[in-house]
């Protein structure tokens, strides 16, 4: 059976100091690696389990390399189709598979040892036969499978190991990211270390360290396995050393006598390091290593185990988190186990160090592992980097609590996770799983919470998303975000122009414990098709290939890169505002971004600012993104971002501070700059006190805009002297009045009718301010980007912002970038974008709207063309409805009139009258 030890009885030894050391460098822990070529066969019909008393009749006919999976070996059923919903698994298999290794020599010196088979990560039920005899059965998706095979092994001889791995739905938990087809897939195999390990008959079976920061002590609990069947007497040696601290610390060796006759002798000790231990947190991830040695002199038994740990307390105070008595704001990202080269997570430290370093470089202090638990190497890397990990049971069900066998599996899995990974300081939070539903859900979770809290090293929440269960230390709560699931165009970024007066105080008031808002920032960028060449492993990007072919068929493949960059720039703008909305909410606990990297399943969601391989995308650097979510960040409260010349810009400056230090008598400056760097206005706030753990009001910023005669954007920057702490925003300022523009030789009309056509046929210039009610289009004029993806949600927003050339003369009087920004809200939301799929290949709208990658269409907001003998400029913006209330609309209308009245109005492409006809509803 998989070994799982609970510490039930404690024997407290009296501690005393000794200079004695255990055997110099000697350890009783020996192992034989079983990595390499194994014999193999699939068993989809479950016909190869031997009948009691019989042996296996034949050698397995194929071979496979372990560690590894059936997918990597090309075993299983070759995929016959492709899908746009997710990456495509080349070889699929669900069921039993057999792995056998023969001629394994066990050293003669192991006759008096306890011998174990160690399988670091198998998927997910295993049965083991040693030399043809059944040695046990176990299951786990999260921890190593470990078998005591002592009775079956022949020392000094060659032995055989046969393992049956079954990745069937042992329990009905198909949605969890531990086995989901959307991410890592439900692979079959063994992917970590595979070893036969030898221990003395008295050895350390379990070792847990509980740092007591305020007491500067360590509580140590150890389980000593005693398979002698006799009373044993020996001593424990405890040493501690600094691994990653400001300096070398000298800590004493402690020797403790013990004795006992139980098969599991459970000891508890209090260790005094004498020197003050440095604490572990996101800023200073200081680490120590405790070495625990067991010596039984009369039996010549010896065992030694080392545990790395960090001294940290994590707790809550009201609606905020505190680590070592310092307030902490959780800046987290979700990890859903996307590793398309292998289809499973890496098991080695270097790869996890590389991956988790990216999270740190992009400004995160936390990672939530969505409905799965990473391997040991991930915890080790996170310990060194100072990341707070939220570990989750492999649970994402709609039948929670309804099946007793499944309930037992999850209860046991939690125990295994705590025992295996509980010493890591990065293991900060634990949760049962994601969005849990079921008839027995709440009682099941309440029972789980009570059991979990026997381990004080972590904080606990029953579920991520829902339900909220009383007894949780905090909540990961769905709702506090600008775009909720299937909210459509009622979401904040689509309902009204941006202001930063709003925050989520009403959500904070719902609870008396901290709230981390669930899966925020799901804004997408158009897919980057250049990444497809990276998929050289078991999962293929046929979804991206399908999207690319559709774009090719729509004659827009040449715009793919521009779509990616423009939508990506807009994606970052939206994420920045979302981050700040949480920072500016007093008492807020934090957020989990969904997510740093792209999500390749569930309809395909390119939500990341790095690709699925953790490589940066070209539209934002790690430094730029990190600066959007610094632990100390200036904030802006302002009622709007578009202003008129006759107004006085008014805003409130704030700073949120979650560093470890306060700022006393700080000097905070602000500047308003033109795009060329010239200062328009500036000011400062002196002697500002900025405490830790809260949002501090700095002062009011006011600037008269009277002298701004031409439309412009301004950059508002707030910074703190003597630091690199700063933040900036764009605002747009438009003239109070505009010169009267009476176009010469230009017909302005709202109707596409015979009169308009006749004017063009005669060679005239036509400005068509199309009546949006007459446009034949099903395009919803959403301002924001796509949230997650339209296939999965089934609702808008289903566009990705605008694409234009800001140097085109159309925009001579309308300052803009090539992508969407907040000033475009009135123009986009008050429009009826036209579908131009029937236009020629080279034809591109002057203001194009980037489509959903699942439904590539050429969508225009403003376009021009040669029609007949004349020239046409057409717009799908409802200017008549908004000119009297929108300075942005007035400015754009003025820029449009100026353009059609200028010699620059020279369309290159030609559209026929029939092509224009198709844009409008027919009478």
């Amino acid at each position: 059976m998989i070994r799982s030890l609970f510490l039930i009885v404690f024997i407290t030894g009296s501690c005393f100091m000794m200079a004695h050391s255990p055997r110099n460098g000697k350890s009783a822990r020996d192992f034989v690696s079983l990595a390499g070529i194994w014999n193999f066969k699939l068993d989809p019909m479950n016909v190869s389990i031997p009948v009691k008393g019989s042996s296996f009749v034949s050698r397995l006919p194929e071979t496979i390399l372990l560690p590894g999976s059936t997918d990597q070996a090309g075993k299983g059923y070759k995929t016959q189709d492709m899908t746009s919903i997710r990456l495509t698994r080349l070889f699929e298999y669900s069921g039993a598979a057999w792995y056998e290794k023969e001629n394994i020599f066990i050293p003669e010196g192991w006759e008096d040892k306890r011998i174990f088979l160690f399988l670091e990560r198998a998927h997910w039920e295993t049965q083991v036969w040693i030399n043809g005899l059944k040695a046990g059965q176990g299951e786990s998706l999260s921890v190593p499978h470990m078998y005591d095979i002592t009775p079956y092994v022949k020392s000094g001889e060659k032995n055989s190991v046969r393992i049956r791995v079954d990745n069937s739905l042992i329990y009905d938990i198909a949605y969890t990211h531990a086995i989901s087809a959307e991410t890592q897939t439900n692979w079959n195999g063994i992917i970590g270390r595979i070893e036969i390990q030898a221990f003395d008959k008295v050895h350390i079976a379990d070792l847990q360290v509980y740092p007591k920061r305020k007491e500067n002590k360590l509580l140590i609990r150890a389980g000593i396995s005693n398979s002698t069947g006799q009373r044993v007497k020996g001593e424990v040696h405890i040493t501690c050393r600094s691994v990653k601290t400001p300096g070398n610390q000298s800590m004493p060796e402690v020797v403790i006598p013990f004795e006992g006759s139980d098969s599991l002798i459970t000891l508890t000790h209090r260790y005094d390091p004498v020197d003050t231990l440095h604490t572990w947190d996101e800023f200073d991830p200081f680490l120590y290593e405790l070495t625990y040695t067991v010596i039984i002199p009369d039996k010549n038994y010896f065992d030694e185990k080392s545990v790395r740990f960090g001294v940290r307390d994590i707790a809550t105070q009201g609606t905020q988190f505190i680590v070592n008595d310092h307030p902490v704001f959780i800046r987290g990202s979700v990890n859903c186990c996307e590793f398309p080269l292998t289809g499973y997570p890496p098991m080695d430290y270097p790869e996890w160090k590389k991956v988790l370093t990216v999270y740190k470089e992009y400004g995160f202090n936390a990672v939530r592992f969505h409905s799965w638990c990473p391997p040991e190497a991930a915890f080790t890397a996170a310990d060194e980097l100072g990341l707070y990990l939220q570990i989750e049971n492999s649970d994402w069900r709609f039948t929670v609590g309804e099946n007793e066998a499944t309930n037992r599996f999850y209860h046991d899995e939690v125990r295994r996770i705590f025992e295996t990974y509980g010493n890591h300081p990065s293991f900060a939070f634990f949760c049962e799983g994601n969005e849990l539903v079921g008839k027995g859900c709440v009682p099941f979770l309440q029972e789980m919470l009570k059991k979990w809290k026997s381990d004080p090293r972590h904080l606990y929440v029953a579920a991520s998303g829902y339900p909220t269960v009383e007894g949780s230390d905090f909540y990961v709560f769905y709702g506090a975000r600008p775009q909720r699931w299937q909210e459509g165009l009622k979401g904040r970024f689509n309902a009204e122009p941006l202001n930063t007066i709003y925050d989520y105080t009403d959500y904070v008031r719902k609870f008396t414990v901290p709230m981390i808002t669930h899966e925020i920032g799901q804004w997408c960028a158009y897919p980057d098709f250049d990444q497809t060449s990276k998929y050289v492993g078991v999962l293929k990007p046929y979804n991206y290939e399908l999207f690319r072919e559709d774009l090719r068929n729509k004659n827009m493949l040449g715009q793919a890169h521009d779509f990616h960059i423009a939508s990506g720039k807009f994606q970052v703008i939206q994420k920045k505002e979302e981050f700040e909305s949480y920072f500016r909410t007093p008492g807020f606990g934090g957020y989990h971004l969904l997510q740093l990297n792209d999500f390749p399943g569930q309809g395909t969601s390119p939500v990341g600012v790095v690709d699925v391989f953790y490589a940066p995308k070209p539209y934002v650097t790690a430094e730029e993104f990190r600066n959007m979510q610094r632990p100390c960040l200036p904030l802006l409260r302002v009622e709007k971002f578009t202003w008129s010349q006759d107004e006085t810009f008014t805003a409130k400056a704030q700073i949120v501070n979650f560093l470890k230090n306060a700022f006393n008598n700080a000097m905070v400056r602000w500047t308003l700059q033109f795009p060329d760097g010239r200062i328009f206005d500036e000011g400062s706030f002196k002697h500002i006190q900025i405490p830790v753990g809260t949002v501090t009001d700095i002062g009011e910023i006011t600037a008269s805009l009277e002298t701004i005669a031409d439309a412009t954007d301004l950059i508002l920057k707030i910074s703190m002297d003597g630091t690199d702490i700063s933040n900036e925003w764009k605002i747009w300022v438009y003239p109070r009045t505009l010169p009267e523009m009476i176009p010469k030789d230009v017909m302005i009309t709202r109707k596409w009718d015979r009169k308009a056509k006749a004017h063009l046929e005669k060679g005239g210039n036509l400005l068509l301010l199309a009546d949006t009610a007459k446009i034949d289009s099903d395009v919803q004029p959403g301002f924001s980007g796509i949230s997650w993806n339209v296939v999965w949600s089934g609702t808008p927003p289903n566009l990705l912002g605008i694409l234009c050339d800001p140097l085109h003369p159309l925009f001579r009087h309308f300052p803009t970038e090539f992508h969407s920004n907040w000033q475009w809200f009135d123009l986009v939301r008050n429009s009826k974008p036209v579908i131009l799929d029937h236009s020629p290949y080279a034809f591109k709208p002057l203001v194009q709207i980037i489509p959903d990658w699942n439904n590539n269409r050429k969508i225009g907001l403003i376009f021009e063309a040669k029609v007949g003998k004349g020239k046409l400029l057409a717009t799908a913006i409802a200017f008549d409805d908004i000119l009297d209330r929108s300075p942005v609309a007035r400015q754009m209308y003025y820029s449009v009139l100026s353009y059609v009245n200028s010699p620059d109005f020279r369309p290159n492409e030609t559209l026929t009258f029939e092509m224009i006809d198709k844009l409008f509803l027919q009478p």
Side-chain angles (χ1 to χ4, degrees), residues 748-752 767-772 774 878 880-881 920:
I748 302 175
T749 180
R750 296 190 71 229
K751 297 180 180 180
W752 177 249
L767 173 58
L768 176 59
L769 306 175
D771 181 353
T772 55
K774 300 295 179 62
D880 286 354
D881 297 337
F920 298 95

Side-chain angles (χ1 to χ4, degrees), residues 392-409:
E392 298 190 359
N393 217 347
S394 302
D395 200 351
W396 188 3
R397 293 174 292 156
F398 306 123
T399 57
V400 178
E402 297 178 17
N403 182 278
E404 283 301 319
T406 308
N407 290 351
R408 281 194 303 274
F409 168 75

Side-chain angles (χ1 to χ4, degrees), residues 377 402 619 669 705 711 747:
E402 297 178 17
Y619 51 78
R669 300 182 186 275
L705 305 174
M747 176 181 176

